[in-house]
Amino acid sequence: GAGCVNVIAPKGGWSGPVPGEGFLYLGTGDGKDGRVVRIDPTTGQLDEGWKYPPGKTGVGAIYGSPLVRDGVVYDAGYSCRGNVCAAEVFALDAATGNPVWSEGGYKVASKVVGRAALGAGVLVFGTAQVGQKDEVPGYLYALDPAQDAGKQLQGRVQGRLKWRVAVDGVVF
């Protein structure tokens, strides 16, 4: 589950810690410098060599807890300037922190505020409405989660995207 974890270092956010592959994975950041990090659960120490993205620039706010499945960590971050938002949904090798998709993260001009779900061969995530009702609505997206991202993705709307549908209301 998610909860405010602003009292941890590096600066926390709304992403809750998730166990997997012998570590705890956590999205950090307060809106501009968000990253996914991992913590050794036996020592409580941050693994300084494992973070995404590497370097000094983060992926923005991370509100959804990571999803860890079969050696891959999935999560998303976004940032906005007014009603112009940019989000990235990404898949990382749990052992190295490196992206498993050759194109890096999947880019969306919106906010991604919830946790992704994985099942039936698709990674599903939702975006939030940006701006007024007639501007960018929220969508439900389905991506091909395949790690062999260098292969040609057949039968897709665009690259990794399998489908997307506008959401007007609440999806359960």
Side-chain angles (χ1 to χ4, degrees):
C4 184
V5 289
N6 268 342
V7 296
I8 68 164
K11 187 169 176 117
W14 287 99
S15 170
V18 175
E21 308 297 321
F23 290 91
L24 295 173
Y25 295 88
L26 175 70
T28 68
D30 62 355
K32 59 185 174 190
D33 60 354
R35 313 182 176 282
V36 176
V37 298
R38 76 178 184 183
I39 298 168
D40 182 324
T42 59
T43 66
Q45 296 297 307
L46 181 69
D47 180 348
E48 296 289 345
W50 197 106
K51 67 180 177 180
Y52 182 83
K56 296 182 180 190
T57 304
V59 293
I62 298 178
Y63 286 100
S65 296
L67 170 66
V68 183
R69 178 92 47 93
D70 299 325
V72 179
V73 179
Y74 302 91
D75 212 343
Y78 78 91
S79 61
C80 296
R81 288 184 165 229
N83 285 345
V84 178
C85 297
E88 178 184 357
V89 177
F90 44 87
L92 311 172
D93 182 296
T96 66
N98 294 327
V100 300
W101 297 339
S102 62
E103 71 273 22
Y106 184 79
K107 310 283 193 287
V108 180
S110 191
K111 302 174 185 177
V112 178
V113 295
R115 184 178 189 193
L118 184 64
V122 294
L123 179 69
V124 179
F125 68 94
T127 62
Q129 179 176 322
V130 177
Q132 301 299 317
K133 183 137 178 87
D134 294 331
E135 292 185 23
V136 180
Y139 287 93
L140 193 59
Y141 286 79
L143 302 181
D144 183 339
Q147 292 186 45
D148 185 14
K151 72 176 184 175
Q152 184 172 359
L153 298 171
Q154 300 291 330
R156 304 296 183 260
V157 175
Q158 178 184 10
R160 188 161 294 284
L161 180 65
K162 285 187 155 192
W163 52 260
R164 99 175 174 171
V165 60
V167 177
D168 184 20
V170 178
V171 177
F172 295 95

PDB file of all heavy atoms in Angstrom, residues 73-107:
ATOM      1  N   VAL A  73      11.125  -4.547 -12.004  1.00  0.00           N
ATOM      2  CA  VAL A  73      10.469  -3.536 -11.174  1.00  0.00           C
ATOM      3  C   VAL A  73       9.789  -2.534 -12.113  1.00  0.00           C
ATOM      4  O   VAL A  73      10.448  -1.924 -12.956  1.00  0.00           O
ATOM      5  CB  VAL A  73      11.491  -2.792 -10.281  1.00  0.00           C
ATOM      6  CG1 VAL A  73      10.802  -1.725  -9.440  1.00  0.00           C
ATOM      7  CG2 VAL A  73      12.249  -3.779  -9.405  1.00  0.00           C
ATOM      8  N   TYR A  74       8.458  -2.388 -11.983  1.00  0.00           N
ATOM      9  CA  TYR A  74       7.684  -1.460 -12.808  1.00  0.00           C
ATOM     10  C   TYR A  74       7.249  -0.281 -11.945  1.00  0.00           C
ATOM     11  O   TYR A  74       6.836  -0.466 -10.801  1.00  0.00           O
ATOM     12  CB  TYR A  74       6.423  -2.129 -13.362  1.00  0.00           C
ATOM     13  CG  TYR A  74       6.679  -3.353 -14.191  1.00  0.00           C
ATOM     14  CD1 TYR A  74       6.702  -4.617 -13.613  1.00  0.00           C
ATOM     15  CD2 TYR A  74       6.905  -3.252 -15.562  1.00  0.00           C
ATOM     16  CE1 TYR A  74       6.934  -5.756 -14.378  1.00  0.00           C
ATOM     17  CE2 TYR A  74       7.132  -4.384 -16.329  1.00  0.00           C
ATOM     18  CZ  TYR A  74       7.142  -5.638 -15.732  1.00  0.00           C
ATOM     19  OH  TYR A  74       7.371  -6.752 -16.486  1.00  0.00           O
ATOM     20  N   ASP A  75       7.296   0.917 -12.495  1.00  0.00           N
ATOM     21  CA  ASP A  75       6.799   2.092 -11.790  1.00  0.00           C
ATOM     22  C   ASP A  75       6.648   3.234 -12.793  1.00  0.00           C
ATOM     23  O   ASP A  75       6.901   3.051 -13.995  1.00  0.00           O
ATOM     24  CB  ASP A  75       7.711   2.493 -10.636  1.00  0.00           C
ATOM     25  CG  ASP A  75       6.953   3.120  -9.461  1.00  0.00           C
ATOM     26  OD1 ASP A  75       5.792   3.538  -9.635  1.00  0.00           O
ATOM     27  OD2 ASP A  75       7.531   3.199  -8.360  1.00  0.00           O
ATOM     28  N   ALA A  76       6.255   4.409 -12.301  1.00  0.00           N
ATOM     29  CA  ALA A  76       6.056   5.573 -13.167  1.00  0.00           C
ATOM     30  C   ALA A  76       6.253   6.846 -12.369  1.00  0.00           C
ATOM     31  O   ALA A  76       6.055   6.868 -11.153  1.00  0.00           O
ATOM     32  CB  ALA A  76       4.647   5.554 -13.757  1.00  0.00           C
ATOM     33  N   GLY A  77       6.626   7.900 -13.066  1.00  0.00           N
ATOM     34  CA  GLY A  77       6.758   9.216 -12.469  1.00  0.00           C
ATOM     35  C   GLY A  77       6.287  10.263 -13.458  1.00  0.00           C
ATOM     36  O   GLY A  77       6.205   9.996 -14.659  1.00  0.00           O
ATOM     37  N   TYR A  78       5.952  11.446 -12.953  1.00  0.00           N
ATOM     38  CA  TYR A  78       5.524  12.515 -13.855  1.00  0.00           C
ATOM     39  C   TYR A  78       5.862  13.870 -13.258  1.00  0.00           C
ATOM     40  O   TYR A  78       6.077  14.024 -12.060  1.00  0.00           O
ATOM     41  CB  TYR A  78       4.027  12.429 -14.155  1.00  0.00           C
ATOM     42  CG  TYR A  78       3.157  12.953 -13.038  1.00  0.00           C
ATOM     43  CD1 TYR A  78       2.770  14.294 -13.008  1.00  0.00           C
ATOM     44  CD2 TYR A  78       2.731  12.127 -12.011  1.00  0.00           C
ATOM     45  CE1 TYR A  78       1.985  14.789 -11.973  1.00  0.00           C
ATOM     46  CE2 TYR A  78       1.946  12.615 -10.984  1.00  0.00           C
ATOM     47  CZ  TYR A  78       1.581  13.942 -10.965  1.00  0.00           C
ATOM     48  OH  TYR A  78       0.816  14.433  -9.951  1.00  0.00           O
ATOM     49  N   SER A  79       5.870  14.869 -14.140  1.00  0.00           N
ATOM     50  CA  SER A  79       6.018  16.263 -13.709  1.00  0.00           C
ATOM     51  C   SER A  79       5.140  17.126 -14.598  1.00  0.00           C
ATOM     52  O   SER A  79       4.850  16.771 -15.746  1.00  0.00           O
ATOM     53  CB  SER A  79       7.483  16.711 -13.773  1.00  0.00           C
ATOM     54  OG  SER A  79       7.951  16.616 -15.092  1.00  0.00           O
ATOM     55  N   CYS A  80       4.696  18.259 -14.052  1.00  0.00           N
ATOM     56  CA  CYS A  80       3.824  19.183 -14.789  1.00  0.00           C
ATOM     57  C   CYS A  80       4.311  20.613 -14.652  1.00  0.00           C
ATOM     58  O   CYS A  80       4.867  20.989 -13.622  1.00  0.00           O
ATOM     59  CB  CYS A  80       2.394  19.124 -14.255  1.00  0.00           C
ATOM     60  SG  CYS A  80       1.561  17.545 -14.461  1.00  0.00           S
ATOM     61  N   ARG A  81       4.060  21.371 -15.685  1.00  0.00           N
ATOM     62  CA  ARG A  81       4.184  22.827 -15.666  1.00  0.00           C
ATOM     63  C   ARG A  81       2.844  23.346 -16.153  1.00  0.00           C
ATOM     64  O   ARG A  81       2.556  23.258 -17.341  1.00  0.00           O
ATOM     65  CB  ARG A  81       5.310  23.307 -16.570  1.00  0.00           C
ATOM     66  CG  ARG A  81       6.659  22.995 -16.010  1.00  0.00           C
ATOM     67  CD  ARG A  81       7.750  23.566 -16.877  1.00  0.00           C
ATOM     68  NE  ARG A  81       8.971  23.541 -16.098  1.00  0.00           N
ATOM     69  CZ  ARG A  81       9.781  24.560 -15.971  1.00  0.00           C
ATOM     70  NH1 ARG A  81       9.518  25.684 -16.582  1.00  0.00           N
ATOM     71  NH2 ARG A  81      10.867  24.449 -15.246  1.00  0.00           N
ATOM     72  N   GLY A  82       2.034  23.816 -15.198  1.00  0.00           N
ATOM     73  CA  GLY A  82       0.668  24.199 -15.555  1.00  0.00           C
ATOM     74  C   GLY A  82      -0.099  22.969 -15.991  1.00  0.00           C
ATOM     75  O   GLY A  82      -0.105  21.951 -15.304  1.00  0.00           O
ATOM     76  N   ASN A  83      -0.740  23.028 -17.164  1.00  0.00           N
ATOM     77  CA  ASN A  83      -1.499  21.889 -17.689  1.00  0.00           C
ATOM     78  C   ASN A  83      -0.699  21.055 -18.674  1.00  0.00           C
ATOM     79  O   ASN A  83      -1.266  20.256 -19.417  1.00  0.00           O
ATOM     80  CB  ASN A  83      -2.785  22.376 -18.369  1.00  0.00           C
ATOM     81  CG  ASN A  83      -3.822  22.790 -17.350  1.00  0.00           C
ATOM     82  OD1 ASN A  83      -3.702  22.477 -16.169  1.00  0.00           O
ATOM     83  ND2 ASN A  83      -4.835  23.498 -17.800  1.00  0.00           N
ATOM     84  N   VAL A  84       0.601  21.236 -18.715  1.00  0.00           N
ATOM     85  CA  VAL A  84       1.465  20.442 -19.593  1.00  0.00           C
ATOM     86  C   VAL A  84       2.221  19.443 -18.719  1.00  0.00           C
ATOM     87  O   VAL A  84       3.067  19.830 -17.912  1.00  0.00           O
ATOM     88  CB  VAL A  84       2.451  21.336 -20.372  1.00  0.00           C
ATOM     89  CG1 VAL A  84       3.375  20.482 -21.227  1.00  0.00           C
ATOM     90  CG2 VAL A  84       1.696  22.348 -21.221  1.00  0.00           C
ATOM     91  N   CYS A  85       1.880  18.172 -18.872  1.00  0.00           N
ATOM     92  CA  CYS A  85       2.474  17.130 -18.047  1.00  0.00           C
ATOM     93  C   CYS A  85       3.219  16.116 -18.903  1.00  0.00           C
ATOM     94  O   CYS A  85       2.860  15.874 -20.048  1.00  0.00           O
ATOM     95  CB  CYS A  85       1.389  16.399 -17.248  1.00  0.00           C
ATOM     96  SG  CYS A  85       0.518  17.466 -16.095  1.00  0.00           S
ATOM     97  N   ALA A  86       4.252  15.537 -18.316  1.00  0.00           N
ATOM     98  CA  ALA A  86       5.027  14.490 -18.974  1.00  0.00           C
ATOM     99  C   ALA A  86       5.249  13.368 -17.973  1.00  0.00           C
ATOM    100  O   ALA A  86       5.747  13.606 -16.879  1.00  0.00           O
ATOM    101  CB  ALA A  86       6.361  15.041 -19.456  1.00  0.00           C
ATOM    102  N   ALA A  87       4.859  12.169 -18.365  1.00  0.00           N
ATOM    103  CA  ALA A  87       5.016  10.995 -17.501  1.00  0.00           C
ATOM    104  C   ALA A  87       5.873   9.948 -18.199  1.00  0.00           C
ATOM    105  O   ALA A  87       5.959   9.926 -19.428  1.00  0.00           O
ATOM    106  CB  ALA A  87       3.652  10.401 -17.157  1.00  0.00           C
ATOM    107  N   GLU A  88       6.470   9.094 -17.383  1.00  0.00           N
ATOM    108  CA  GLU A  88       7.248   7.975 -17.896  1.00  0.00           C
ATOM    109  C   GLU A  88       6.899   6.736 -17.093  1.00  0.00           C
ATOM    110  O   GLU A  88       6.960   6.750 -15.863  1.00  0.00           O
ATOM    111  CB  GLU A  88       8.747   8.264 -17.773  1.00  0.00           C
ATOM    112  CG  GLU A  88       9.620   7.132 -18.230  1.00  0.00           C
ATOM    113  CD  GLU A  88      11.109   7.371 -18.011  1.00  0.00           C
ATOM    114  OE1 GLU A  88      11.489   8.473 -17.550  1.00  0.00           O
ATOM    115  OE2 GLU A  88      11.886   6.450 -18.276  1.00  0.00           O
ATOM    116  N   VAL A  89       6.490   5.673 -17.792  1.00  0.00           N
ATOM    117  CA  VAL A  89       6.274   4.363 -17.181  1.00  0.00           C
ATOM    118  C   VAL A  89       7.498   3.543 -17.557  1.00  0.00           C
ATOM    119  O   VAL A  89       7.904   3.531 -18.717  1.00  0.00           O
ATOM    120  CB  VAL A  89       4.993   3.698 -17.723  1.00  0.00           C
ATOM    121  CG1 VAL A  89       4.807   2.307 -17.129  1.00  0.00           C
ATOM    122  CG2 VAL A  89       3.781   4.574 -17.437  1.00  0.00           C
ATOM    123  N   PHE A  90       8.117   2.881 -16.577  1.00  0.00           N
ATOM    124  CA  PHE A  90       9.370   2.196 -16.867  1.00  0.00           C
ATOM    125  C   PHE A  90       9.412   0.814 -16.235  1.00  0.00           C
ATOM    126  O   PHE A  90       8.676   0.518 -15.293  1.00  0.00           O
ATOM    127  CB  PHE A  90      10.574   3.033 -16.420  1.00  0.00           C
ATOM    128  CG  PHE A  90      10.416   3.657 -15.066  1.00  0.00           C
ATOM    129  CD1 PHE A  90      10.769   2.969 -13.916  1.00  0.00           C
ATOM    130  CD2 PHE A  90       9.904   4.946 -14.942  1.00  0.00           C
ATOM    131  CE1 PHE A  90      10.621   3.552 -12.668  1.00  0.00           C
ATOM    132  CE2 PHE A  90       9.755   5.533 -13.693  1.00  0.00           C
ATOM    133  CZ  PHE A  90      10.115   4.837 -12.552  1.00  0.00           C
ATOM    134  N   ALA A  91      10.284  -0.026 -16.796  1.00  0.00           N
ATOM    135  CA  ALA A  91      10.515  -1.386 -16.314  1.00  0.00           C
ATOM    136  C   ALA A  91      12.015  -1.538 -16.110  1.00  0.00           C
ATOM    137  O   ALA A  91      12.801  -1.260 -17.021  1.00  0.00           O
ATOM    138  CB  ALA A  91      10.007  -2.401 -17.337  1.00  0.00           C
ATOM    139  N   LEU A  92      12.405  -1.976 -14.903  1.00  0.00           N
ATOM    140  CA  LEU A  92      13.817  -2.046 -14.534  1.00  0.00           C
ATOM    141  C   LEU A  92      14.217  -3.461 -14.152  1.00  0.00           C
ATOM    142  O   LEU A  92      13.428  -4.187 -13.537  1.00  0.00           O
ATOM    143  CB  LEU A  92      14.082  -1.133 -13.333  1.00  0.00           C
ATOM    144  CG  LEU A  92      13.536   0.282 -13.423  1.00  0.00           C
ATOM    145  CD1 LEU A  92      13.703   0.996 -12.091  1.00  0.00           C
ATOM    146  CD2 LEU A  92      14.209   1.032 -14.547  1.00  0.00           C
ATOM    147  N   ASP A  93      15.434  -3.817 -14.473  1.00  0.00           N
ATOM    148  CA  ASP A  93      15.987  -5.086 -14.011  1.00  0.00           C
ATOM    149  C   ASP A  93      16.168  -4.975 -12.498  1.00  0.00           C
ATOM    150  O   ASP A  93      16.849  -4.066 -12.014  1.00  0.00           O
ATOM    151  CB  ASP A  93      17.328  -5.332 -14.705  1.00  0.00           C
ATOM    152  CG  ASP A  93      17.942  -6.654 -14.323  1.00  0.00           C
ATOM    153  OD1 ASP A  93      18.272  -6.835 -13.126  1.00  0.00           O
ATOM    154  OD2 ASP A  93      18.111  -7.494 -15.219  1.00  0.00           O
ATOM    155  N   ALA A  94      15.546  -5.868 -11.745  1.00  0.00           N
ATOM    156  CA  ALA A  94      15.596  -5.784 -10.281  1.00  0.00           C
ATOM    157  C   ALA A  94      17.017  -5.941  -9.750  1.00  0.00           C
ATOM    158  O   ALA A  94      17.349  -5.403  -8.705  1.00  0.00           O
ATOM    159  CB  ALA A  94      14.682  -6.831  -9.652  1.00  0.00           C
ATOM    160  N   ALA A  95      17.880  -6.647 -10.464  1.00  0.00           N
ATOM    161  CA  ALA A  95      19.243  -6.864 -10.001  1.00  0.00           C
ATOM    162  C   ALA A  95      20.144  -5.654 -10.253  1.00  0.00           C
ATOM    163  O   ALA A  95      20.990  -5.329  -9.426  1.00  0.00           O
ATOM    164  CB  ALA A  95      19.840  -8.098 -10.679  1.00  0.00           C
ATOM    165  N   THR A  96      19.938  -4.971 -11.399  1.00  0.00           N
ATOM    166  CA  THR A  96      20.864  -3.901 -11.791  1.00  0.00           C
ATOM    167  C   THR A  96      20.275  -2.500 -11.739  1.00  0.00           C
ATOM    168  O   THR A  96      21.017  -1.523 -11.667  1.00  0.00           O
ATOM    169  CB  THR A  96      21.365  -4.123 -13.229  1.00  0.00           C
ATOM    170  OG1 THR A  96      20.257  -3.984 -14.137  1.00  0.00           O
ATOM    171  CG2 THR A  96      22.023  -5.484 -13.381  1.00  0.00           C
ATOM    172  N   GLY A  97      18.958  -2.381 -11.841  1.00  0.00           N
ATOM    173  CA  GLY A  97      18.318  -1.069 -11.923  1.00  0.00           C
ATOM    174  C   GLY A  97      18.297  -0.504 -13.336  1.00  0.00           C
ATOM    175  O   GLY A  97      17.786   0.582 -13.573  1.00  0.00           O
ATOM    176  N   ASN A  98      18.816  -1.252 -14.290  1.00  0.00           N
ATOM    177  CA  ASN A  98      18.828  -0.792 -15.679  1.00  0.00           C
ATOM    178  C   ASN A  98      17.480  -1.035 -16.345  1.00  0.00           C
ATOM    179  O   ASN A  98      16.818  -2.032 -16.054  1.00  0.00           O
ATOM    180  CB  ASN A  98      19.913  -1.519 -16.478  1.00  0.00           C
ATOM    181  CG  ASN A  98      21.295  -1.175 -15.990  1.00  0.00           C
ATOM    182  OD1 ASN A  98      21.553  -0.071 -15.543  1.00  0.00           O
ATOM    183  ND2 ASN A  98      22.202  -2.148 -16.056  1.00  0.00           N
ATOM    184  N   PRO A  99      17.075  -0.162 -17.288  1.00  0.00           N
ATOM    185  CA  PRO A  99      15.825  -0.392 -18.020  1.00  0.00           C
ATOM    186  C   PRO A  99      15.893  -1.696 -18.814  1.00  0.00           C
ATOM    187  O   PRO A  99      16.938  -2.045 -19.362  1.00  0.00           O
ATOM    188  CB  PRO A  99      15.736   0.803 -18.966  1.00  0.00           C
ATOM    189  CG  PRO A  99      16.600   1.854 -18.352  1.00  0.00           C
ATOM    190  CD  PRO A  99      17.706   1.102 -17.659  1.00  0.00           C
ATOM    191  N   VAL A 100      14.779  -2.418 -18.866  1.00  0.00           N
ATOM    192  CA  VAL A 100      14.712  -3.651 -19.648  1.00  0.00           C
ATOM    193  C   VAL A 100      14.055  -3.412 -21.005  1.00  0.00           C
ATOM    194  O   VAL A 100      14.027  -4.314 -21.833  1.00  0.00           O
ATOM    195  CB  VAL A 100      13.996  -4.800 -18.898  1.00  0.00           C
ATOM    196  CG1 VAL A 100      14.725  -5.135 -17.608  1.00  0.00           C
ATOM    197  CG2 VAL A 100      12.542  -4.480 -18.632  1.00  0.00           C
ATOM    198  N   TRP A 101      13.523  -2.209 -21.217  1.00  0.00           N
ATOM    199  CA  TRP A 101      12.967  -1.851 -22.517  1.00  0.00           C
ATOM    200  C   TRP A 101      14.011  -1.023 -23.253  1.00  0.00           C
ATOM    201  O   TRP A 101      14.495  -0.021 -22.714  1.00  0.00           O
ATOM    202  CB  TRP A 101      11.692  -1.041 -22.368  1.00  0.00           C
ATOM    203  CG  TRP A 101      10.564  -1.768 -21.686  1.00  0.00           C
ATOM    204  CD1 TRP A 101      10.411  -3.119 -21.558  1.00  0.00           C
ATOM    205  CD2 TRP A 101       9.429  -1.175 -21.059  1.00  0.00           C
ATOM    206  NE1 TRP A 101       9.246  -3.392 -20.874  1.00  0.00           N
ATOM    207  CE2 TRP A 101       8.625  -2.208 -20.558  1.00  0.00           C
ATOM    208  CE3 TRP A 101       9.017   0.142 -20.872  1.00  0.00           C
ATOM    209  CZ2 TRP A 101       7.433  -1.988 -19.896  1.00  0.00           C
ATOM    210  CZ3 TRP A 101       7.831   0.367 -20.204  1.00  0.00           C
ATOM    211  CH2 TRP A 101       7.049  -0.691 -19.726  1.00  0.00           C
ATOM    212  N   SER A 102      14.360  -1.427 -24.474  1.00  0.00           N
ATOM    213  CA  SER A 102      15.419  -0.727 -25.209  1.00  0.00           C
ATOM    214  C   SER A 102      15.068   0.734 -25.459  1.00  0.00           C
ATOM    215  O   SER A 102      15.956   1.569 -25.564  1.00  0.00           O
ATOM    216  CB  SER A 102      15.730  -1.435 -26.529  1.00  0.00           C
ATOM    217  OG  SER A 102      14.597  -1.436 -27.363  1.00  0.00           O
ATOM    218  N   GLU A 103      13.792   1.051 -25.538  1.00  0.00           N
ATOM    219  CA  GLU A 103      13.388   2.446 -25.769  1.00  0.00           C
ATOM    220  C   GLU A 103      13.354   3.245 -24.471  1.00  0.00           C
ATOM    221  O   GLU A 103      12.965   4.412 -24.448  1.00  0.00           O
ATOM    222  CB  GLU A 103      12.032   2.526 -26.475  1.00  0.00           C
ATOM    223  CG  GLU A 103      10.833   2.119 -25.625  1.00  0.00           C
ATOM    224  CD  GLU A 103      10.505   0.633 -25.637  1.00  0.00           C
ATOM    225  OE1 GLU A 103      11.377  -0.205 -25.935  1.00  0.00           O
ATOM    226  OE2 GLU A 103       9.348   0.299 -25.344  1.00  0.00           O
ATOM    227  N   GLY A 104      13.769   2.636 -23.365  1.00  0.00           N
ATOM    228  CA  GLY A 104      13.705   3.306 -22.065  1.00  0.00           C
ATOM    229  C   GLY A 104      12.295   3.220 -21.539  1.00  0.00           C
ATOM    230  O   GLY A 104      11.644   2.199 -21.646  1.00  0.00           O
ATOM    231  N   GLY A 105      11.798   4.311 -20.981  1.00  0.00           N
ATOM    232  CA  GLY A 105      10.436   4.319 -20.453  1.00  0.00           C
ATOM    233  C   GLY A 105       9.420   4.668 -21.518  1.00  0.00           C
ATOM    234  O   GLY A 105       9.742   5.241 -22.552  1.00  0.00           O
ATOM    235  N   TYR A 106       8.159   4.303 -21.254  1.00  0.00           N
ATOM    236  CA  TYR A 106       7.052   4.664 -22.142  1.00  0.00           C
ATOM    237  C   TYR A 106       6.590   6.063 -21.744  1.00  0.00           C
ATOM    238  O   TYR A 106       6.235   6.297 -20.591  1.00  0.00           O
ATOM    239  CB  TYR A 106       5.913   3.651 -22.012  1.00  0.00           C
ATOM    240  CG  TYR A 106       4.798   3.922 -22.980  1.00  0.00           C
ATOM    241  CD1 TYR A 106       4.917   3.538 -24.313  1.00  0.00           C
ATOM    242  CD2 TYR A 106       3.655   4.592 -22.579  1.00  0.00           C
ATOM    243  CE1 TYR A 106       3.904   3.807 -25.214  1.00  0.00           C
ATOM    244  CE2 TYR A 106       2.642   4.862 -23.477  1.00  0.00           C
ATOM    245  CZ  TYR A 106       2.768   4.471 -24.800  1.00  0.00           C
ATOM    246  OH  TYR A 106       1.768   4.751 -25.695  1.00  0.00           O
ATOM    247  N   LYS A 107       6.590   6.998 -22.681  1.00  0.00           N
ATOM    248  CA  LYS A 107       6.275   8.402 -22.406  1.00  0.00           C
ATOM    249  C   LYS A 107       4.797   8.694 -22.679  1.00  0.00           C
ATOM    250  O   LYS A 107       4.243   8.240 -23.670  1.00  0.00           O
ATOM    251  CB  LYS A 107       7.135   9.325 -23.268  1.00  0.00           C
ATOM    252  CG  LYS A 107       8.632   9.023 -23.232  1.00  0.00           C
ATOM    253  CD  LYS A 107       9.281   9.510 -21.984  1.00  0.00           C
ATOM    254  CE  LYS A 107      10.779   9.516 -22.017  1.00  0.00           C
ATOM    255  NZ  LYS A 107      11.487   8.303 -21.948  1.00  0.00           N
TER     256      LYS A 107
END
